[in-house]
Amino acid sequence: MPPEGKMLADDIGYLALPSVPSDEAADDYVRRARAAVSKNDEQGACGWVIDLRSNWGGTMWGPLAAVGPILGDGDTGAFVEADGRKTAWTVENGTPRQYLDDWGPAQPLSRRMPPVAVLTSRRTRSAAEAVTIAFRGRPDTRSFGEPTSGAPTANAYHRLSDGAAIFLTEAREADRTGHVYNGPITPDREIHDDARDLSSHGDQVLMAATRWLGSRPDCRR
């Protein structure tokens, strides 16, 4: 499933970021997501909804590059190893630094550091939790929905001498303030999200997020 971008009412940009199953799929994913962000920005988006509710993991770098222009440059989080060593997630020109040669710089937004609402659910897992963490501590940012799945870790693939393979959890993840996450990430405003039945009451999580964005100075009318 590709990323989905659209304009909501009151000039709010919306970007849904599903999972990226492999590094090979990330190139097209980043291209599509960035095109959607640029289109909404050109249409005057005053704030953004980043929807991670259906993202179960995969690779974190494609989604991080997709939101790079919205997230902003700098150290947005880090892997923290057992001995305390940290490897920062540095965004440069809207792109994770180690992928600048692959994806190039992103087109900057016309509004610098707009307000952002991040949506999470129990299905938000692993790499999607890393993207959730990257927004923690960002100015004018709030999260809505359900606590995440609870696997905010860095895992590495190792092939053994007998041909078998093993995935090892080698690091935990920390936000830009240094806070390390060990389990489900609780949103700022917790709202039950029953994705099976949005017909009777609508998408309560999205509605709460857009109400908050509408109250921000950049979007207030």
Side-chain angles (χ1 to χ4, degrees):
M1 181 183 298
E4 177 193 1
K6 60 185 177 182
M7 284 289 283
L8 304 177
D10 299 322
D11 295 331
I12 293 171
Y14 171 90
L15 183 65
L17 295 177
S19 303
V20 186
S22 66
D23 290 337
E24 291 73 21
D27 290 350
D28 185 63
Y29 183 103
V30 171
R31 180 183 60 79
R32 287 172 178 261
R34 285 184 170 177
V37 170
S38 295
K39 181 178 179 180
N40 285 4
D41 182 56
E42 290 167 2
Q43 293 175 346
C46 64
W48 294 84
V49 173
I50 305 300
D51 194 342
L52 299 169
R53 290 178 292 176
S54 64
N55 190 320
W56 46 259
T59 174
M60 65 180 275
W61 302 112
L64 201 62
V67 298
I70 301 169
L71 181 62
D73 286 354
D75 291 344
T76 61
F79 297 122
V80 182
E81 298 182 37
D83 61 3
R85 285 185 297 172
K86 295 182 179 180
T87 303
W89 311 336
T90 303
V91 176
E92 185 176 311
N93 294 321
T95 304
R97 178 177 287 167
Q98 67 269 42
Y99 285 92
L100 267 171
D101 289 341
D102 299 281
W103 298 326
Q107 181 176 326
L109 297 182
S110 55
R111 294 175 185 259
R112 184 177 177 275
M113 293 299 284
V116 176
V118 179
L119 312 188
T120 63
S121 76
R122 291 167 291 177
R123 300 176 297 281
T124 305
R125 185 176 185 275
S126 189
E129 289 174 292
V131 180
T132 302
I133 288 169
F135 278 97
R136 289 294 174 109
R138 179 190 182 276
D140 216 9
T141 303
R142 190 168 173 82
S143 53
F144 299 81
E146 296 177 317
T148 62
S149 176
T153 55
N155 306 306
Y157 174 88
H158 297 275
R159 182 165 293 280
L160 305 181
S161 59
D162 63 357
I166 186 171
F167 278 93
L168 290 179
T169 297
E170 298 186 346
R172 294 181 293 171
E173 296 173 346
D175 63 26
R176 66 185 69 200
T177 73
H179 178 77
V180 178
Y181 293 83
N182 293 307
I185 304 165
T186 302
D188 296 309
R189 182 173 175 193
E190 195 167 343
I191 304 169
H192 177 62
D193 177 18
D194 188 350
R196 298 166 299 178
D197 183 17
L198 297 178
S199 58
S200 58
H201 302 294
D203 190 335
Q204 297 296 314
V205 178
L206 180 59
M207 288 191 287
T210 55
R211 281 195 299 269
W212 175 77
L213 285 166
S215 73
R216 310 311 299 156
D218 282 2
C219 293
R220 193 177 298 147
R221 295 182 181 276

